[in-house]
Amino acid sequence: MKKLIAISAMMLATTGAMACTNFIVGKNASADGSVMCSYSADSYGMFQGLAHYPAARHPKGTMRKIYDWDTNKYYGEILEAEETYNVIGNINEWQVTIGETTFGGREEMVDTTGIMDYGSLIYIALQRSKTAREAIDVMTSLVEQYGYNSEGETFTICDPNEAWIMEMMGCASDRKIEKGRTVWVALRIPDDMICGHANQSRITTFDQKGKKANDKWSMVNGAGNVRYSKNVVSYARKMGWFSGKDEDFSYNAAYAAPDFSGRRICDARVWSFFNRYADGMDRFIPWAEGRDANAEVLPLWVKPNRKLTVHDVETAMRDHFEDTPFSLDQDMGGGLWEMPYRPTPLYFKCDGKEYFNERPVSTQQAGFVYVSQMRSWLPREVGGCFWFANDDGNMVPFTPVYCCATASPRPYNTPGADDLTFSMDNAFWVQNWVSNMVYPRYSMLFPSLKEVRDSLDNSYFRAQKEVEDKALTLDEAARVKYLTAYTAEKADQMLARWRQLATYLIVKYNDMAVKPEENGRFTRTQYGMGSAVKRPGYSEKFARELIRQTGKKFEKQ
C-alpha cells in the first residue's frame, strides 16, 4: 500500500503509513498445481471491502478519469479500452491476480507530473489483461505514456500458469535527464519456488543476456522470463548511483537499498514465510535481524520442502514469528494477556533512546487480506478462487470468492457503511468489533475465536470440490450465476456467525472472568446459584515478572 515518500523504510514505519505483505507460490510448488499469491493490505484507518468492476464494452474514443486509489484525488484522463473484463477483488475473470507492496525508494524519483498511481495501475491492468504478461504490458505502457506518480512499488502479477514479480519507480519529472518515464524490472518466478515481498525492494541483479533495446520480451534462457525497461541501468548511471558493468547492476542497490528497517521490519516477514516452508533458513537470520552489514542476502525465492496448500498460505498470512528469534511472546510487550501484537508507531523513544517493535505479517491495521488460487486445468469461471478476509487475517476466516462473480457480496460492499460509520451488516466492522474485543485479552479470548474461524475455513475447504463439481455440470451462464450466488451465500453465513461470536465472547468473558458451559449452554453464575465463574488471574510468566519488578511489595504476610 502507499506510504509517505522516504528513502528509508524506517521513516515509512514511524509515520504509521500503509505497509503490506505479498507471498507467491509457483504452480509446481503447490499441492494441487495452482499458482497462488497472497496480499495483506495494511493501513490504519483503511476501510475497504471487495472491489468490483463489471465487464463492459466502451465506444471507441471513450476517456477514463483517473483518481488516486488512496486519496481519491483527480489526476486526469486516459483513453479507455474498448473492452474491459470482470474484476472482483484483485482477480479478474481470466484468473489474473495483482497485488503490491510499497518500498518507497529514492524520494527524488517520484514523477509529480504523472497521472498513474499504483492502485489505478492494478485495477486497470486487471480490467484489460488475460494473462500476467499482458498485465505487465498494460502497466508498463500506461506509465510510459501517462507517467507514474507513486513511490517505488513491488507488484505481484500472476495467472494460472505463471507468477511474476515486478518493481517500478518513476524517473522524476525532468525529461531532460531521462526520456523514459519509469525504471522497472519484471522477473518470472520459477514454477517450483516460493517468493515474497514486504515493503522492501527485493530484486537485485538479473539476467540481461539476449536483451536488445527494442525487444518486447527478453528471451533469457529461451523462455522470456525476464523483462525490464531499456533505461533501467542507464538512468542509475546518469544520476550517479551506479558505475559498474551492466551485468553487475542491482536494482535495489541503485534505487532502494535495504537499511536496518528494510531488513528487520520488512524482509523479516519474507524470511518468516520462507522459514516456515523451506529448509536452511537459519543462515539468513542475520540478514533479517538487520544489524550485520555483511550478512548473507535473503534470496528472492526459495524451494519449499513440501508442496503448499491454500491453507498453508493462509497460515503464513496469520504469522507472528512464532518459534523464531523474532517471536512476540518473549517479552512483556504483549501485556498481561500475551498479545502477539504491538502498538504503533513501530519506533518509539524512551529516555532519549530509540527502540522498535517487531512487525509481523499479521497486523491489526490490515484492511483486507486474500489468498488467490489460480488453476489452469479448470474452466476459468471455476479455476479462480479468491479467498477473502475483511480484517487482520489471523482474526477472521477467508471466504471463497469466485473470479466470475458478477457482484460483490453485501457484507463486503454495504450501503451506508464507511470508515466512520459502523454497520452490523458490514463484514469489516463486525469483524473489527470482534477483533478489538480479543486483542486486549488475547490469550483468554483468542482460543474461542480460533475455534470458530477454523471451523468456517475447514467447512469451505470441505465444500469446495462438491461446489466446483456441480459448477462443471452447468453451462457458462448458469455456472457464473451459481458461483456468484455461492460467493454471496458464504459471505452472508460468515457475517451471521461472526455476529453470534461477538455476543458469545462478551457473555462468556465478561469482567475478565470465564463463565462455565454445560452441553453448549452457559450455567448460571449468580451468587449462590449454579457454578462459579472461573477467574484465571495472571499467567505464571506474567506473575514472575510482576514479582521481579515489585519485590516484596505484594508479598502476603
Side-chain angles (χ1 to χ4, degrees):
M1 304 297 291
K2 186 175 180 182
K3 305 187 296 298
L4 300 180
I5 301 166
I7 296 175
S8 166
M10 179 184 294
M11 188 178 298
L12 304 177
T14 57
T15 64
M18 299 183 184
C20 306
T21 305
N22 284 197
F23 298 144
I24 310 166
V25 180
K27 62 183 180 182
N28 293 338
S30 68
D32 66 352
S34 61
V35 174
M36 294 186 288
C37 63
S38 67
Y39 177 28
S40 178
D42 307 341
S43 171
Y44 279 97
M46 179 185 188
F47 175 89
Q48 185 165 342
L50 187 68
H52 180 234
Y53 300 88
R57 292 190 177 273
H58 310 276
K60 190 173 182 179
T62 298
M63 301 302 290
R64 176 181 182 136
K65 296 183 184 297
I66 302 298
Y67 295 89
D68 188 280
W69 192 56
D70 292 315
T71 66
N72 206 37
K73 178 182 178 181
Y74 174 68
Y75 286 133
E77 295 185 344
I78 68 171
L79 190 66
E80 181 61 283
E82 292 185 37
E83 181 181 14
T84 53
Y85 306 126
N86 186 71
V87 176
I88 188 81
N90 286 57
I91 191 172
N92 73 11
E93 62 180 278
W94 297 94
Q95 305 186 62
V96 177
T97 305
I98 307 177
E100 57 76 35
T101 72
T102 305
F103 59 79
R106 293 182 180 272
E107 181 177 359
E108 61 268 43
M109 293 178 69
V110 174
D111 183 357
T112 57
T113 66
I115 68 171
M116 298 304 304
D117 65 285
Y118 79 97
S120 297
L121 273 184
I122 289 174
Y123 292 102
I124 292 172
L126 285 170
Q127 292 173 72
R128 299 183 179 189
S129 307
K130 293 183 178 181
T131 67
R133 294 181 186 234
E134 283 188 10
I136 293 169
D137 279 339
V138 168
M139 296 169 79
T140 56
S141 61
L142 282 173
V143 294
E144 199 58 36
Q145 183 175 359
Y146 297 105
Y148 177 64
N149 62 19
S150 291
E151 299 85 55
E153 199 77 25
T154 306
F155 296 97
T156 293
I157 307 170
C158 299
D159 64 28
N161 294 296
E162 298 183 345
W164 289 78
I165 182 172
M166 180 171 73
E167 297 196 335
M168 177 183 291
M169 294 192 71
C171 291
S173 54
D174 189 349
R175 301 279 81 82
K176 295 178 182 178
I177 296 176
E178 182 64 40
K179 293 182 179 179
R181 301 192 72 170
T182 54
V183 287
W184 54 270
V185 178
L187 302 179
R188 182 181 174 187
I189 298 163
D191 292 340
D192 61 347
M193 297 289 179
I194 59 176
C195 181
H197 53 94
N199 306 117
Q200 169 57 52
S201 171
R202 299 272 289 124
I203 296 177
T204 55
T205 57
F206 51 94
D207 197 340
Q208 300 178 47
K209 296 176 184 177
K211 181 73 173 75
K212 296 179 181 178
N214 296 321
D215 282 353
K216 188 171 185 180
W217 286 98
S218 168
M219 295 306 292
V220 175
N221 299 323
N225 294 332
V226 182
R227 192 180 172 200
Y228 48 93
S229 62
K230 62 184 179 181
N231 63 337
V232 69
V233 178
S234 63
Y235 183 69
R237 290 188 187 280
K238 290 179 182 179
M239 298 301 290
W241 301 329
F242 177 70
S243 59
K245 297 178 180 179
D246 281 6
E247 57 264 33
D248 296 328
F249 176 76
S250 165
Y251 188 91
N252 73 9
Y255 299 127
D259 56 8
F260 171 81
S261 184
R263 289 162 58 178
R264 184 61 170 261
I265 304 302
C266 303
D267 274 357
R269 283 176 267 159
V270 179
W271 174 85
S272 188
F273 175 52
F274 290 176
N275 183 62
R276 184 180 285 274
Y277 298 123
D279 298 325
M281 291 298 108
D282 284 357
R283 62 193 280 196
F284 300 108
I285 289 175
W287 176 267
E289 287 176 333
R291 303 182 190 279
D292 182 356
N294 298 312
E296 185 176 0
V297 177
L298 185 71
L300 181 55
W301 48 63
V302 297
K303 189 170 183 175
N305 52 27
R306 62 178 176 84
K307 296 191 175 186
L308 306 188
T309 65
V310 169
H311 174 70
D312 291 329
V313 183
E314 289 181 359
T315 298
M317 297 307 290
R318 292 164 170 160
D319 183 81
H320 295 108
F321 295 120
E322 288 86 355
D323 302 318
T324 76
F326 312 107
S327 176
L328 289 150
D329 61 4
Q330 302 301 310
D331 57 58
M332 302 305 294
L336 169 60
W337 304 107
E338 300 175 322
M339 177 176 64
Y341 297 84
R342 295 296 182 268
T344 57
L346 286 169
Y347 289 83
F348 62 96
K349 289 185 177 180
C350 183
D351 296 331
K353 293 184 178 181
E354 191 169 33
Y355 301 87
F356 68 93
N357 288 311
E358 301 290 3
R359 203 299 196 178
V361 174
S362 172
T363 180
Q364 63 266 34
Q365 69 263 28
F368 66 87
V369 182
Y370 68 69
V371 176
S372 185
Q373 180 185 24
M374 297 152 277
R375 295 166 289 179
S376 62
W377 63 94
L378 290 169
R380 57 191 173 93
E381 304 86 18
V382 183
C385 191
F386 187 80
W387 302 88
F388 183 74
N390 212 173
D391 187 18
D392 166 13
N394 182 51
M395 305 298 273
V396 290
F398 289 76
T399 67
V401 176
Y402 280 88
C403 70
C404 65
T406 56
S408 178
R410 183 180 176 87
Y412 300 141
N413 188 16
T414 314
D418 60 29
D419 59 329
L420 300 178
T421 308
F422 180 90
S423 170
M424 286 291 286
D425 296 323
N426 180 255
F428 174 87
W429 277 122
V430 172
Q431 290 177 326
N432 272 274
W433 173 31
V434 171
S435 297
N436 280 274
M437 280 196 283
V438 173
Y439 287 138
R441 289 184 282 164
Y442 189 85
S443 62
M444 176 184 276
L445 273 65
F446 181 71
S448 293
L449 182 150
K450 183 178 184 297
E451 182 179 1
V452 178
R453 183 200 75 185
D454 292 352
S455 175
L456 288 173
D457 279 341
N458 290 333
S459 73
Y460 305 145
F461 292 141
R462 286 194 302 269
Q464 187 175 16
K465 186 179 186 305
E466 180 180 352
V467 168
E468 292 175 355
D469 284 348
K470 180 176 179 180
L472 292 174
T473 67
L474 305 173
D475 62 35
E476 183 175 331
R479 186 181 295 156
V480 169
K481 184 177 180 180
Y482 170 66
L483 292 174
T484 298
Y486 178 75
T487 292
E489 177 189 346
K490 294 298 108 176
D492 287 340
Q493 288 178 352
M494 179 280 299
L495 181 61
R497 186 65 183 90
W498 228 247
R499 289 177 186 150
Q500 184 182 28
L501 174 62
T503 59
Y504 173 84
L505 291 175
I506 201 165
V507 172
K508 184 175 180 65
Y509 299 104
N510 193 43
D511 293 338
M512 293 184 282
V514 183
K515 286 187 174 69
E517 297 178 68
E518 291 181 6
N519 301 319
R521 293 178 177 271
F522 294 118
T523 56
R524 292 281 179 187
T525 58
Q526 290 97 326
Y527 179 75
M529 296 178 62
S531 302
V533 297
K534 296 178 181 179
R535 294 178 288 176
Y538 299 129
S539 68
E540 183 176 350
K541 183 174 73 172
F542 192 92
R544 288 183 182 279
E545 179 62 19
L546 177 65
I547 300 308
R548 188 192 68 80
Q549 292 183 19
T550 59
K552 295 186 176 183
K553 180 178 180 179
F554 299 114
E555 185 175 331
K556 184 179 178 181
Q557 298 298 316

